[in-house]
Amino acid sequence: MAVILIVEDNDMNLDMLSRRLKRKGYDILDARDGQAGVDRAFEDKPDLILMDMSLPVLDGWQATRMIKSNPETAGIPVVALTAHAMASDREKAMDAGCDAFYTKPIELPGLLDIILDLLSR
């Protein structure tokens, strides 16, 4: 089954999303700040990354740029997860290299559609 890295600093969001995706059969890795997410992506090379954009240490935009600029991790799909729902927020995430954009609160069926689509490419 696919390995998904969740980069999320909110413990409740991380726990909820991890448990729900594990029940769907995914293997889950986690990181609690942007730098830890980059380190984990470089080391573990997950199949997909769910990236909160407002993170401590290194924000999700910077972390995504670092992941996408490394040839070994550039092909890993990154889904931006954010509470910022403006069109400019989506554009900023896509400019950073994200492959998809999803606004919080997370409704699992919609997020699963994005995950399945990106993993099937």
Side-chain angles (χ1 to χ4, degrees), residues 90-103:
R90 177 177 176 43
E91 185 176 317
K92 186 177 175 186
M94 301 312 267
D95 286 347
C98 292
D99 299 276
F101 181 85
Y102 196 84
T103 56

Side-chain angles (χ1 to χ4, degrees), residues 9-63:
D9 65 329
N10 180 294
D11 289 339
M12 189 168 69
N13 289 344
L14 177 61
D15 180 60
M16 179 272 304
L17 191 53
S18 293
R19 284 188 288 118
R20 294 171 80 189
L21 290 173
K22 283 179 184 175
R23 272 185 268 169
K24 296 293 181 185
Y26 294 103
D27 291 326
I28 302 299
L29 305 172
D30 65 66
R32 298 184 191 271
D33 64 62
Q35 184 60 59
V38 170
D39 294 344
R40 197 94 205 236
F42 289 171
E43 184 175 319
D44 297 311
K45 297 178 183 58
D47 297 301
L48 185 137
I49 299 170
L50 299 176
M51 180 74 74
D52 183 18
M53 302 314 281
S54 299
L55 292 166
V57 182
L58 189 69
D59 66 39
W61 295 277
Q62 293 173 302

Side-chain angles (χ1 to χ4, degrees), residues 65-76:
R65 282 189 186 93
M66 291 175 71
I67 290 166
K68 292 297 189 172
S69 67
N70 183 321
E72 292 186 20
T73 55
I76 299 172

